[in-house]
């Protein structure tokens, strides 16, 4: 992809939280992938932080979307970069070693095989992720803003910052009725 300036028209992001796992599904014009993170680290919060950092002017951000075990694609790095035109380069690489989860291991963040590469409008990613977060906030959290199936608190302040910034990019909050309809077709 180096030097390729083709922008994907489609870059859909979906988050599914269930039984201590958060699945990140990404679909582009040409490919679709899903990656599952374990609750043992808070990858969802890290994704929100990375996206917020980019929205506030950072050039690059990285998230370890870590699962358990060493199956292909079980542990990945989601690397994101912004260009001067408001587009985002995305590369998802397997983590070369899966031992990041073991407390007695000396682990370095080395990347392995590239699983996905895309060049997309950042505003579309920001709006899509913020919509997914709103759905999680409404449907998957308890009254204390705890995501019971994820075993972590919802990142409310960071989400609200994304909503404010997302408003400049076309984000419009959905009604609770619409979110319920989308969650229960």
């Amino acid at each position: 992809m180096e030097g390729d300036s083709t922008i994907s028209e489609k870059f859909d992001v979906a988050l599914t939280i269930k039984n201590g796992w958060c699945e990140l599904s990404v679909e582009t014009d040409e490919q679709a992938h899903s990656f599952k993170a374990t609750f043992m680290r808070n990858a969802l919060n890290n994704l929100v932080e990375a996206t917020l950092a980019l929205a506030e002017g950072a050039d690059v951000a990285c998230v370890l979307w870590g699962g358990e075990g060493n199956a292909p694609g079980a542990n990945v790095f989601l690397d994101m970069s912004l260009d001067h035109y408001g587009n985002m380069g995305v590369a998802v690489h397997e983590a070369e070693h899966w031992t990041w989860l073991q407390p007695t291991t000396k682990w370095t963040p080395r990347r392995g095989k590239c699983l996905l590469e895309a060049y997309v409008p950042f505003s579309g990613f920001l709006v899509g992720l913020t919509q997914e977060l709103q759905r999680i906030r409404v449907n998957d959290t308890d009254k204390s803003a705890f995501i019971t199936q994820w075993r972590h608190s919802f990142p409310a302040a960071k989400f609200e910052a994304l909503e404010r910034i997302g408003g400049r990019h076309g984000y419009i909050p959905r009604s609770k009725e619409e979110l319920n309809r989308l969650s229960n077709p």
Side-chain angles (χ1 to χ4, degrees):
M1 181 171 149
E2 190 174 323
D4 181 7
S5 60
T6 305
I7 298 174
S8 295
E9 290 184 30
K10 180 179 186 176
F11 191 76
D12 294 338
V13 176
L15 295 165
T16 305
I17 296 175
K18 188 174 181 181
N19 299 326
W21 292 92
C22 183
E23 183 174 10
L24 170 66
S25 299
V26 178
E27 186 174 350
T28 69
D29 295 334
E30 302 170 0
Q31 53 190 320
H33 291 279
S34 291
F35 309 102
K36 289 176 93 173
T38 176
F39 75 95
M40 296 178 85
R41 298 283 199 274
N42 197 346
L44 178 63
N45 185 69
N46 295 342
L47 178 61
V48 173
E49 283 180 350
T51 305
L52 184 56
L54 291 171
E56 292 177 334
D59 296 323
V60 296
C62 174
V63 176
L64 171 62
W65 202 261
E68 296 176 18
N70 61 351
N75 301 281
V76 298
F77 290 102
L78 174 64
D79 295 306
M80 302 172 284
S81 64
L82 288 182
D83 68 11
H84 296 288
Y85 305 105
N87 296 309
M88 180 175 76
V90 180
V92 179
H93 290 87
E94 287 184 333
E96 191 169 299
H97 298 285
W98 64 276
T99 56
W100 67 274
L101 193 56
Q102 298 174 344
T104 59
T105 301
K106 293 180 181 174
W107 181 81
T108 58
R110 293 196 318 234
R111 283 148 178 75
K113 176 183 171 185
C114 185
L115 302 174
L116 178 139
E117 234 177 335
Y119 184 62
V120 301
F122 178 67
S123 59
F125 170 74
L126 174 65
V127 168
L129 180 63
T130 307
Q131 288 174 334
E132 282 295 288
L133 292 168
Q134 183 199 20
R135 184 185 53 74
I136 288 168
R137 185 177 201 177
V138 169
N139 295 329
D140 297 329
T141 61
D142 64 16
K143 291 181 182 185
S144 69
F146 188 73
I147 309 169
T148 54
Q149 291 283 317
W150 180 233
R151 304 181 194 151
H152 292 283
S153 293
F154 183 83
K158 294 170 192 152
F159 166 70
E160 290 164 5
L162 281 179
E163 278 193 311
R164 284 191 300 278
I165 294 168
R168 297 191 300 261
H169 295 271
Y171 169 75
I172 300 171
R174 296 176 175 157
S175 69
K176 286 185 179 183
E177 294 78 22
E178 184 178 1
L179 289 168
N180 287 332
R181 195 171 51 251
L182 290 172
S183 295
N184 303 309

